Amino acid sequence: MGKDKKKSKESRTPFRDALRAGPGTQLADIDPRSTPGFSGDKADGQEALADLAEPVSDLQERLFAEATAGGERSVLLVVQGMDTSGKGGIMRHVVGAVDPQGVDITSFKAPTAEERKHPFLWRIRNALPTAGRIGVFDRSHYEDVLIVRVHDLVPRAQWARRYGQITTFEKGLVDKGTTVIKVMLHISKEEQKERLTERLDRPDKHWKFNPTDIDERGHWEDYQEAYQAVIDRTSTDAAPWYVVPADRKWFARLAVMQLLKEHLEELDPQWPKADFDVAAEQKRLKKS
Amino acid sequence: MGKDKKKSKESRTPFRDALRAGPGTQLADIDPRSTPGFSGDKADGQEALADLAEPVSDLQERLFAEATAGGERSVLLVVQGMDTSGKGGIMRHVVGAVDPQGVDITSFKAPTAEERKHPFLWRIRNALPTAGRIGVFDRSHYEDVLIVRVHDLVPRAQWARRYGQITTFEKGLVDKGTTVIKVMLHISKEEQKERLTERLDRPDKHWKFNPTDIDERGHWEDYQEAYQAVIDRTSTDAAPWYVVPADRKWFARLAVMQLLKEHLEELDPQWPKADFDVAAEQKRLKKS
C-alpha cells in the first residue's frame, strides 16, 4: 500500500479547527462515536498515530533545546473526561510516545488536607511545566467546577466564581509563554457502561474499578451540564477547549496527538545557536 | 524468520549474572564494545528490545496496581556514566517504553544553593519512588563521590565517608521494599570522542555540547578510578552495580531493559483481588 495513495484517501483537516469548542458548541449535539477531521478507519487511525510519534518527538526535543538557551515557552495539556473516557490511554499511548525527559504528568486526585488549606489553584500552580517542558494534567482545576459543582462540595457562590478565576489564571499562563491545550474526552453513557462492564469482567481490571463509579453514573446528566458550563464559560481565545469524541479510543488518541503536533508546529521551536566557537572546540576535541 | 529459530540463535543468559559487578570486577578489564549475555547482532538486539516493551509494561502495571491495594514495593533505577555514555538514550528508549504514569525520572544536576545547605542525600530522599512506582535517576548521589572526588569539591575526609553512608542508605531502601538497580554505562574514551565530534558537527546537537565536556576528558583516568572505587565499595548484595558496556548503544539499551525485566519478574507483582462484591456490582451496573 503506497504512502501517497494512503494520504490522499484520508482527508485530515487541522484538528484544531475540527474539534475546537466555539460559542455555539453543545456537547449534546456531538456524537461520541464521530471522528471529526479524520475520514479513515481504525487501522488508518492507528497508522496515523504511529506516524506522528517521530515528528512530535522532534518538535518536543526542539522545545526542550530552546529552553536550554533561555527560551521560556512551554506547553500544558489538560485532559478531562468522565470515568473510563480514556484519560489513562492518552497518558500511555500519546504522552508515552514522547521522550519522558521532557514531559511531566500530574494526576490530580481528591485534594489532600494540605491542599484544602489553600485556594483551589494552589496545587495547580505548583505543577505547571517549566520552560521547555510539556506538562500534562490528568484531571485538573476543572474538577473544582465539575465534581465540586455536581456534589455541592463548596457553596454555589464559591464555585460560580471559579470560572472567572480560571480564565484569568489561564490567560496569565498564556501571556507568560505557556501554550494551553484543553481536551475534553467526550464519551457516551452506553460506552461507559461497556467499559465498566469490562473492568468488572476481567480480574486484571478490578483494581481500576471503584463502586462509586456506578454511583457517579447516576449523576450523568448533572456532569454533562457541568461540562457544558465549563465549555460555555472557559473556552477562551487564549485557551480554548477541544471536544474529542472518545467512544473510539483510537480516534481520541490520534486526535490528542495531532492537537499536540499542531500546537507545537505553531510554536515552531528552533535548535539554539551554539554559544561557543564550534571550530575552536573541534580543534580542541581532536587533541584531547 | 521464525520466532523459534530466532530464540535458539541468540543465547541470552540472565543479564543480572552477566553484568553484575562482584568483588573482583575491574572496569579496565571490561571491553566497552562487548555484549555480555547476548550473542546476537545489532538487528537482533533492536528486535529483542522491542519485544521487551510489552512484558515490561505488563509487569510495571502489575506493580502499580499492587500499590493501589496497599502494596509498598517500588523500583529505583540509578543510571550513571561519563558524558555521552547514553544516559539520555536510556531514558528515551528504555524508560520511555514503559507507561509514563508509573515512572518518575529525576535528572540530578549540580546541586542548587538550597540543596547545598543539606546533607548530600537530602535531595535524593526527596526524589525516591513511592509505592508501586519506578523511579529513575539520571545521575544520582554517586556524583557526590565521582565529580566531587575528581575535583575535590569537598575535603577528602568528607567524600571518603560517603561510600559507607551510601551503602547504609541503600540498604535501608531495600529493607523498606525498594528494589535498587544500579547501572554504570561503560564507554571508551575513543567512543566518547566520536560522540562529542558528532555533537560538534551537527547544528541540531550543539545544544547538548558544553566546552567543559572536553575539559572533563582531561580527567578521564581520575574518573575511571573514581568509578572503580564506587564499584569496589558500593556494589553490595542489597544493591549491586551492573556494568553495562555502552559503546554499542543498542546493547546498552537492551541490557538495561532486560535488567529491569529480570528484577520485576523477581518481584512477581500480582493483580490485587477485588475488595468489593463483583457479582453485586455487575448487577448494579446493569441497572444503571
Side-chain angles (χ1 to χ4, degrees):
Chain A
M1 178 164 17
K3 275 240 159 188
D4 291 342
K5 196 177 149 203
K6 196 88 200 156
K7 285 235 171 87
S8 63
K9 213 183 82 189
E10 298 159 20
S11 93
R12 255 186 267 173
T13 61
F15 279 36
R16 290 175 73 162
D17 296 336
L19 302 172
R20 182 177 171 147
T25 299
Q26 291 296 315
L27 275 182
D29 296 340
I30 298 173
D31 179 359
R33 290 194 69 77
S34 62
T35 63
F38 191 75
S39 62
D41 62 12
K42 180 174 179 176
D44 297 329
Q46 288 174 331
E47 192 183 326
L49 177 65
D51 288 347
L52 283 167
E54 203 177 300
V56 172
S57 285
D58 178 68
L59 286 159
Q60 178 271 325
E61 192 178 4
R62 286 169 182 261
L63 182 70
F64 188 90
E66 180 185 272
T68 66
E72 293 180 351
R73 300 188 297 178
S74 61
V75 170
L76 175 62
L77 174 66
V78 173
V79 183
Q80 283 287 157
M82 300 293 286
D83 286 335
T84 78
S85 60
K87 296 184 292 293
I90 296 292
M91 300 304 143
R92 189 164 190 154
H93 299 281
V94 177
V95 180
V98 178
D99 188 339
Q101 293 171 101
V103 172
D104 302 295
I105 298 178
T106 309
S107 177
F108 290 98
K109 314 281 182 196
T112 62
E114 169 70 14
E115 287 168 349
R116 267 194 296 263
K117 284 187 215 153
H118 297 272
F120 76 105
L121 290 172
W122 179 77
R123 64 176 183 165
I124 304 298
R125 290 183 204 276
N126 286 340
L128 292 173
T130 52
R133 302 185 70 85
I134 299 178
V136 184
F137 286 176
D138 176 358
R139 302 187 186 271
S140 67
H141 43 301
Y142 284 99
E143 292 297 329
D144 295 289
V145 285
L146 288 165
I147 189 169
V148 166
R149 169 178 165 145
V150 168
H151 291 291
D152 293 317
L153 300 182
V154 304
R156 181 188 185 99
Q158 192 175 341
W159 62 249
R161 268 197 307 275
R162 288 179 175 171
Y163 298 99
Q165 290 167 336
I166 287 173
T167 54
T168 303
F169 167 68
E170 289 177 351
K171 178 72 166 59
L173 292 186
V174 171
D175 287 345
K176 275 185 277 180
T178 299
T179 297
V180 179
I181 312 172
K182 302 189 294 194
V183 165
M184 185 218 159
L185 300 175
H186 177 52
I187 58 163
S188 64
K189 196 176 177 188
E190 298 68 40
E191 178 69 19
Q192 188 192 57
K193 192 174 206 168
E194 275 188 35
R195 293 183 186 178
L196 287 175
T197 301
E198 194 193 4
R199 288 188 184 176
L200 282 172
D201 291 349
R202 288 178 50 179
D204 64 329
K205 301 277 187 189
H206 283 166
W207 67 279
K208 291 189 175 184
F209 180 86
N210 192 312
T212 60
D213 296 346
I214 300 181
D215 304 332
E216 286 295 86
R217 274 176 68 73
H219 302 283
W220 188 271
E221 291 310 321
D222 297 338
Y223 271 107
Q224 295 305 304
E225 205 175 277
Y227 270 107
Q228 183 65 50
V230 160
I231 286 169
D232 291 342
R233 305 191 54 180
T234 68
S235 196
T236 59
D237 284 341
W241 276 98
Y242 298 96
V243 178
V244 174
D247 274 9
R248 302 178 198 260
K249 289 179 180 173
W250 66 263
F251 175 74
R253 291 168 189 171
L254 170 63
V256 178
M257 185 73 127
Q258 180 68 28
L259 284 170
L260 200 52
K261 175 161 173 268
E262 290 174 13
H263 284 85
L264 285 166
E265 276 174 343
E266 191 183 13
L267 288 177
D268 192 25
Q270 298 298 319
W271 300 117
K273 296 255 175 300
D275 58 356
F276 49 83
D277 179 337
V278 176
E281 293 301 322
Q282 283 169 325
K283 203 176 281 181
R284 213 157 69 88
L285 177 59
K286 245 177 214 157
K287 281 192 242 161
S288 76
Chain B
M1 177 165 16
K3 274 240 158 185
D4 293 340
K5 196 177 149 202
K6 198 88 199 159
K7 286 235 170 89
S8 64
K9 211 183 84 189
E10 298 160 18
S11 94
R12 256 188 264 172
T13 62
F15 279 36
R16 290 175 72 162
D17 297 336
L19 302 173
R20 182 175 170 148
T25 299
Q26 292 296 315
L27 275 182
D29 296 341
I30 298 173
D31 178 359
R33 290 193 70 76
S34 63
T35 62
F38 190 76
S39 63
D41 62 12
K42 180 175 177 174
D44 297 328
Q46 288 174 331
E47 192 183 325
L49 178 64
D51 288 347
L52 283 168
E54 202 177 302
V56 172
S57 284
D58 178 67
L59 286 159
Q60 177 270 325
E61 193 179 4
R62 285 168 183 262
L63 182 71
F64 188 89
E66 181 184 272
T68 64
E72 293 180 349
R73 302 189 297 179
S74 61
V75 170
L76 175 62
L77 173 67
V78 174
V79 183
Q80 283 287 158
M82 301 291 287
D83 285 334
T84 77
S85 60
K87 295 183 292 295
I90 296 291
M91 301 303 142
R92 188 164 188 155
H93 299 282
V94 177
V95 180
V98 178
D99 188 339
Q101 293 171 101
V103 172
D104 302 295
I105 298 177
T106 309
S107 179
F108 290 98
K109 315 281 182 196
T112 62
E114 169 69 14
E115 288 168 347
R116 266 194 295 265
K117 284 187 213 154
H118 296 272
F120 76 106
L121 290 173
W122 178 78
R123 63 176 184 166
I124 304 298
R125 291 183 204 276
N126 287 339
L128 292 172
T130 53
R133 302 185 69 85
I134 299 177
V136 184
F137 285 178
D138 176 359
R139 303 187 186 271
S140 66
H141 43 301
Y142 284 99
E143 292 297 329
D144 295 290
V145 286
L146 289 165
I147 190 170
V148 166
R149 170 178 164 145
V150 169
H151 291 290
D152 294 316
L153 300 181
V154 304
R156 181 188 186 99
Q158 191 175 341
W159 60 250
R161 269 198 306 275
R162 289 180 175 170
Y163 298 99
Q165 291 168 335
I166 287 172
T167 54
T168 303
F169 167 68
E170 290 177 350
K171 177 73 165 59
L173 292 185
V174 171
D175 288 344
K176 275 185 279 182
T178 300
T179 297
V180 180
I181 311 171
K182 302 188 295 195
V183 166
M184 185 217 160
L185 299 175
H186 178 51
I187 58 163
S188 65
K189 196 174 178 187
E190 298 68 41
E191 178 69 20
Q192 188 192 58
K193 192 175 207 166
E194 275 188 37
R195 293 183 186 179
L196 287 174
T197 301
E198 194 194 3
R199 287 189 183 175
L200 282 171
D201 290 350
R202 287 177 50 177
D204 63 330
K205 301 275 186 192
H206 284 165
W207 68 279
K208 291 188 176 186
F209 180 86
N210 192 311
T212 62
D213 297 345
I214 299 179
D215 304 331
E216 287 294 88
R217 273 175 69 73
H219 302 283
W220 188 272
E221 291 311 319
D222 297 337
Y223 272 107
Q224 294 305 304
E225 205 175 279
Y227 269 106
Q228 183 65 50
V230 160
I231 284 169
D232 292 342
R233 304 191 55 181
T234 68
S235 197
T236 59
D237 284 341
W241 276 97
Y242 298 96
V243 178
V244 174
D247 274 10
R248 302 178 198 259
K249 288 179 182 173
W250 65 264
F251 175 74
R253 291 169 190 172
L254 171 63
V256 178
M257 185 72 127
Q258 180 69 27
L259 285 170
L260 200 53
K261 175 162 174 266
E262 290 175 14
H263 283 84
L264 285 167
E265 276 173 344
E266 192 184 13
L267 289 177
D268 193 25
Q270 299 298 319
W271 300 117
K273 297 255 176 299
D275 59 357
F276 49 83
D277 180 338
V278 176
E281 293 302 322
Q282 283 169 327
K283 203 176 283 179
R284 215 156 69 87
L285 177 59
K286 244 176 214 157
K287 281 192 242 157
S288 76

